[in-house]
Amino acid sequence: MTDCRRDLDEALSAYAAQDHYPFHMPGHKRRTDLAGEAAGKDITEIAGFDDLHCAEGILLEAQQRAADLYGSKRAFYLVNGSTAGILAAVSAALPRGGTLLAARNSHRSLYHAAALRGLRVHWLYPEQRKDEAGAAGISGPVSAREVERMLSLHPETGAVFLTSPTYDGVVSDVEAAAEAAHRAGALLIVDAAHGAHFGMHPAFPENAVRQGADLVVHSLHKTLPSLTQTALLHLCSERVSAEDIALWLRIYMTSSPSYVLMAGMDSCIGLMKSRGEELLGAFAGRLLAFRREAASWKTFRLLPADDPSKLLIGTGTSGTGGRQLAAILREKYRLEPEMEAPGYVLMLTSLADTDEGFARLAAAMRELDAAFPSGEGADAARSALPALARAKTAMTIAQAMEGKKKAVPLADAAGLISAEFLYLYPPGVPLIAPGEVITRELADLADALLREGYALQGAKDRSAKTLLTTAE
């Protein structure tokens, strides 16, 4: 087997073509007539196919190909998505009860890791943007200066956690943050779930693995041609033990990893190694052409993003909101957005997008831009999400989640301590987290979002009319 792109997948295909009878899991017994085409390659840890949690053969080689592509010391396959990687990275980096410095606009899995390990967390707040993206409620990067300042205030910090790029394509200065963390004796963990395509073509930003981070998480499935749930955890330095990473992955990840998913990852890595620059170059050309056309819009706006693959369509002077724009794109033009926010819609693109797909989006926006008023119309960004408020932390996430609770109407909860999360999903960044003091502004924001038709998740009360608070 010399073709690295098809190594694991070809091995599975060859095995499926033989007459081995499976007296083992899975229960579908590779019968495609009962369980679908994928079942033909869906096996368990049988002879010759290695064990992901103790990889010594074909899976070890496949993971090393991923490490070689990105430049890490070691890459670990994740079949539970980036969530498992974030949980494992944080757990390996810090002892129970340790201190973490983390970006407040992190994914909910970071908060869950802090709860599971009883961590004390001090928050890094992203810069507020001054451009149209800021007006639409999109946070800026976390500055290295802020990382350095907070590390000086909390010298006991063992690890720093950043999200770069963010869901909206905002990139922080990972290299400078890594230098600041290492000077203070701390590790740097980067949630780069949305940056698996970085560092392979000059049209896109550099990959965090090569910028000094110690641990980096990539979601292959988010921006590359790979199946949902496939991701990587990269070990990039000697500051963290590979054995500790493996231990925590055994805890947080399934003991029955899908060979279909792992074969898909190996194929994706091989594709990027052999044709990545070519495919990303063609993709960059499509993005550039679309952005040139968007520059002529009179009403809607294409908002700035550090990652050019994130098309953030601002509602501009249309007088409509992101939810309404998303509905029009979905129902009239059969174009399904990734995410909708009050002031914009996110259209997530990848190298797998076609000329036809871009042409359909361009034609739809050309038509909509002509149909909606231009000039001094109402700016829908007026109802945008406000910048993340600087929350007052009264206790750790674990203490709030594990203590006694009582349900209180959100409208009457100002001044109390939240015992649960409340967030918009996607992207899953908490508006409030357990242990934080509830403010009047939060209650008003939640009410406004609910009235506009957005779903708030995380609370036991799915209507978000009440919130669990600590019972003191």
Side-chain angles (χ1 to χ4, degrees), residues 12-19 40:
L12 290 170
S13 296
Y15 185 82
Q18 298 172 16
D19 65 350

Side-chain angles (χ1 to χ4, degrees), residues 85-385:
I86 289 170
L87 293 173
V90 172
S91 298
L94 290 165
R96 174 171 295 279
T99 299
L100 176 68
L101 191 59
R104 182 59 177 78
N105 59 338
S106 297
H107 184 263
R108 64 187 186 187
S109 54
L110 177 278
Y111 295 77
H112 295 164
L116 288 168
R117 300 290 287 155
L119 302 180
R120 297 183 299 277
V121 186
H122 301 290
W123 298 114
L124 294 161
Y125 285 86
E127 296 177 342
Q128 294 192 27
R129 303 186 68 155
K130 307 297 184 185
D131 53 20
E132 288 181 279
I138 296 171
S139 296
V142 172
S143 74
R145 271 194 319 276
E146 179 65 2
V147 172
E148 199 156 22
R149 186 185 74 84
M150 289 294 287
L151 283 168
S152 68
L153 292 176
H154 305 285
E156 75 281 10
T157 296
V160 177
F161 186 97
L162 296 181
T163 301
S164 179
T166 67
Y167 198 68
D168 294 313
V170 176
V171 174
S172 294
D173 188 342
V174 171
E175 187 172 4
E179 291 172 358
H182 295 157
R183 279 196 301 272
L187 302 170
L188 178 64
I189 305 168
V190 179
D191 174 3
H194 282 269
H197 59 301
F198 281 15
M200 301 183 207
H201 189 279
F204 302 95
E206 182 55 279
N207 164 24
V209 170
R210 295 189 173 94
Q211 293 182 303
D214 298 289
L215 294 165
V216 175
V217 177
H218 282 135
S219 276
L220 295 181
H221 74 93
K222 284 182 166 62
T223 60
L224 292 180
S226 192
L227 297 173
T228 298
Q229 291 183 212
T230 58
L232 299 169
L233 171 55
H234 295 279
L235 175 61
C236 312
S237 78
E238 305 290 346
R239 296 181 180 88
V240 186
S241 159
E243 290 73 22
D244 286 348
I245 294 289
L247 167 65
W248 287 105
L249 285 176
R250 286 195 292 272
I251 292 171
Y252 292 126
M253 199 162 65
T254 176
S255 60
S256 302
S258 165
Y259 277 81
V260 174
L261 294 182
M262 291 188 289
M265 282 191 267
D266 197 26
S267 292
C268 175
I269 294 300
L271 177 69
M272 298 311 295
K273 182 176 181 179
S274 61
R275 296 184 58 204
E277 188 169 2
E278 166 207 340
L279 293 170
L280 287 168
F283 175 37
R286 296 185 191 102
L287 289 168
L288 182 60
F290 183 85
R291 288 181 177 277
R292 282 173 175 163
E293 169 147 342
S296 67
W297 296 345
K298 301 287 193 299
T299 298
F300 294 93
R301 301 284 185 270
L302 197 58
L303 305 177
D306 301 322
D307 174 6
S309 77
K310 296 295 179 71
L311 300 180
L312 307 168
I313 301 178
T315 51
T317 58
S318 65
T320 190
R323 185 173 174 79
Q324 292 72 36
L325 175 58
I328 295 170
L329 290 169
R330 180 183 302 116
E331 295 162 13
K332 182 176 180 180
Y333 299 100
R334 297 294 185 264
L335 298 168
E336 189 68 43
E338 165 68 21
M339 188 268 286
E340 57 204 47
Y344 66 101
V345 170
L346 169 59
M347 309 301 278
L348 190 152
T349 66
S350 83
L351 59 82
D353 280 299
T354 61
D355 290 333
E356 187 264 344
F358 273 101
R360 283 180 58 185
L361 179 58
M365 289 308 304
R366 196 180 307 126
E367 191 173 295
L368 288 172
D369 196 60
F372 280 83
S374 60
E376 299 302 319
D379 189 341
R382 68 191 183 282
S383 60
L385 285 171

Side-chain angles (χ1 to χ4, degrees), residues 363-430:
M365 289 308 304
R366 196 180 307 126
E367 191 173 295
L368 288 172
D369 196 60
F372 280 83
S374 60
E376 299 302 319
D379 189 341
R382 68 191 183 282
S383 60
L385 285 171
L388 283 168
R390 291 185 175 266
K392 179 182 177 183
T393 300
M395 59 180 67
T396 68
I397 296 173
Q399 288 169 336
M401 290 180 69
E402 295 169 6
K404 292 183 178 180
K405 307 174 183 65
K406 61 180 178 181
V408 175
L410 188 53
D412 302 328
L416 301 179
I417 301 168
S418 179
E420 58 184 348
F421 295 97
L422 196 62
Y423 50 78
L424 278 171
Y425 191 85
V429 175

